[in-house]
Amino acid sequence: MRYASFSARHRYSGFLLLTVSVALRAAPPVRFTEHTIATGLRGGYQVVVADINHDGKPDVIALASGMPELVWYENPTWERHVIVGGMSRMINCAAWDIDGDGIPEIALASEFAQETKKSAGVVSIVHHDGDPRGPWKATEIDRLPTSHRLRWADVCGNGKKVLVNAPLLGPRAEAPDYRDHTPLVFYRPGEWKRELTGDENEGVVHGIYIVDWEGHGREDILTASFVGIDLYQSGKNGKWKRTEISKGDPTPWPKCGSSDVAVGRLSKGRYFAAIEPWHGNQVVMYTQAGKHWTRRVLDDSLVDGHTICTADLNGDGNDEIIAGFRGKGRSVFVYYADDAKGGGHWSKRVLDDGGIAAAACAVADLNGDGRTDVACIGSATANLKWYENLGAR
């Protein structure tokens, strides 16, 4: 595994080492060993971790846009099971147990195209038929062109989650500028009636992230779009409020804004990380200074950046940043903060060097050893891997 950061270049024993400074980390990076779960996943696009068969072990759902079947792999043997077949151009799914039987229902977006006129944007709820290892049943609940990101969120703080749907584009958006207001909607389980959260975002809305932003017991929605990173919050009266957090990349439209976002924590506070701009080359972190957020580019070497997440991999109380890209060089990187405030130096290690065109990654303890592992799915590489966390070096 290569080790890298951002300035001077050195080589030691075949390892490429780039150092930002001589500052030492409070806790060292961790070692990983990779395991291939599956290959042949044409158009691999999303990986979701959930306990599908209610056995206490986290399983892995693999969504591949070029295949007609949504599949899951059973932990720990990684036996393949088909959830539902006959689907076209699947783009996203989200798992949550609606009925309390211990097995999640799966929200699924399919018939996607990056052009509103060609995108039916079918949203379905997929439910097991008694045995999660057997075929499931899909029930269509809506059609909203370019439905692209699905997430469950407890926006009322009552333990009852709603389904959030973030289309990629507004109804009148056209390439290359994609200028239009882009809706953000949600559905209440059982009713499945589309409700508008807001349509203030503009251009491509590529990423959303669910977080209790203020610690008030209600989950909020962060969006990443051409106009940057914005926060949607539902008040006790059911009305939604949108707050701009950052404008993202300041390059002129349409190379502006943000693509994907994730919130992390440091022992001295929180931060959020982003891929910028859309399908961009930058890994960016934001730290708070009063009411404002300071933007800092950690890395600008990605090609078609497409996934970002955070997790405390080495147990030091600081969340690392995991970022993957699909273009030339196709890799997954892990970034470590050298200080508890995150305002100092960040170091970069290569988790996968060319072996996966990472379209999406997820973090979870997959083998029950108490350490957080990483799972990623590849688009051009059509593969699914998990990277076992072996602990600090």
Side-chain angles (χ1 to χ4, degrees):
M1 184 180 297
R2 296 192 305 171
Y3 169 82
S5 191
F6 313 111
S7 55
R9 293 175 177 264
H10 307 279
R11 287 191 177 273
Y12 295 98
S13 304
F15 287 78
L16 176 62
L17 176 64
L18 307 182
T19 57
V20 180
S21 76
V22 296
L24 298 177
R25 282 176 295 271
V30 301
R31 296 170 297 128
F32 287 93
T33 186
E34 70 176 53
H35 307 274
T36 296
I37 296 176
T39 58
L41 295 169
R42 188 172 66 255
Y45 194 81
Q46 186 194 19
V47 56
V48 173
V49 177
D51 183 1
I52 301 298
N53 57 354
H54 196 38
D55 67 352
K57 299 183 182 70
D59 307 300
V60 176
I61 301 172
L63 183 149
S65 297
M67 298 182 66
E69 297 174 330
L70 182 68
V71 298
W72 69 282
Y73 295 89
E74 186 174 353
N75 192 345
T77 63
W78 305 120
E79 180 182 355
R80 179 181 185 270
H81 305 283
V82 175
I83 297 172
V84 65
M87 309 305 290
S88 174
R89 303 191 309 276
M90 295 180 293
I91 196 68
N92 225 233
C93 69
W96 183 63
D97 183 10
I98 299 173
D99 56 16
D101 67 353
I103 298 173
E105 281 65 48
I106 300 171
L108 176 64
S110 60
E111 297 191 34
F112 171 83
Q114 199 169 294
E115 184 177 345
T116 55
K117 296 176 182 178
K118 298 180 180 179
S119 177
V122 176
V123 181
S124 303
I125 299 297
V126 187
H127 191 281
H128 70 92
D129 193 22
D131 180 4
R133 295 180 179 87
W136 297 39
K137 180 182 179 181
T139 302
E140 182 178 319
I141 63 167
D142 196 13
R143 291 192 173 214
L144 180 59
T146 73
S147 291
H148 182 253
R149 291 288 182 262
L150 300 178
R151 300 290 186 270
W152 295 99
D154 183 4
V155 298
C156 296
N158 59 6
K160 298 178 181 180
K161 297 191 178 187
V162 303
L163 176 63
V164 179
N165 179 9
L168 184 76
L169 304 170
R172 293 172 295 278
E174 294 184 359
D177 285 349
Y178 298 107
R179 283 195 181 273
D180 193 15
H181 286 268
T182 311
L184 179 68
V185 306
F186 70 97
Y187 314 87
R188 302 178 193 273
E191 301 175 17
W192 304 122
K193 178 183 177 182
R194 186 197 306 170
E195 299 182 50
L196 181 66
T197 300
D199 60 359
E200 297 92 341
N201 287 343
E202 296 181 64
V204 171
V205 178
H206 188 263
I208 62 174
Y209 187 87
I210 306 303
V211 60
D212 183 350
W213 185 252
E214 295 180 347
H216 51 27
R218 299 188 303 275
E219 291 185 318
D220 310 306
I221 308 166
L222 282 174
T223 62
S225 72
F226 276 11
V227 293
I229 297 170
D230 295 274
L231 178 69
Y232 284 84
Q233 295 175 296
S234 175
K236 293 182 179 180
N237 58 3
K239 293 184 178 180
W240 287 85
K241 175 186 176 183
R242 175 181 179 267
T243 304
E244 180 185 281
I245 304 297
S246 167
K247 293 185 182 299
D249 190 308
T251 303
W253 190 291
K255 301 294 184 181
C256 53
S258 297
S259 185
D260 293 278
V261 62
V263 176
R265 73 183 189 281
L266 299 167
S267 58
K268 297 297 183 180
R270 66 178 170 180
Y271 68 92
F272 63 94
I275 300 286
E276 294 180 349
W278 178 37
H279 291 175
N281 63 314
Q282 302 168 5
V283 174
V284 182
M285 73 160 302
Y286 291 84
T287 51
Q288 193 166 15
K291 295 182 179 180
H292 302 285
W293 289 84
T294 302
R295 180 178 187 267
R296 180 182 177 192
V297 178
L298 297 183
D299 192 4
D300 62 0
S301 69
L302 278 63
V303 181
D304 193 9
H306 205 264
T307 181
I308 194 161
C309 50
T310 60
D312 185 359
L313 300 174
N314 58 8
D316 66 352
N318 297 327
D319 280 348
E320 283 68 52
I321 301 170
I322 302 101
F325 61 100
R326 307 180 299 182
K328 185 178 180 180
R330 56 197 192 193
S331 299
V332 182
F333 298 148
V334 181
Y335 304 83
Y336 293 84
D338 291 335
D339 65 79
K341 295 182 179 179
H345 305 293
W346 285 68
S347 303
K348 179 176 76 175
R349 283 185 177 265
V350 178
L351 178 60
D352 194 305
D353 189 4
I356 192 163
C361 295
V363 291
D365 181 3
L366 292 176
N367 58 357
D369 65 355
R371 303 187 187 105
T372 301
D373 308 301
V374 181
C376 298
I377 192 166
S379 52
T381 49
N383 54 352
L384 175 65
K385 296 183 180 181
W386 75 281
Y387 304 86
E388 182 182 358
N389 185 341
L390 302 179
R393 292 179 178 275

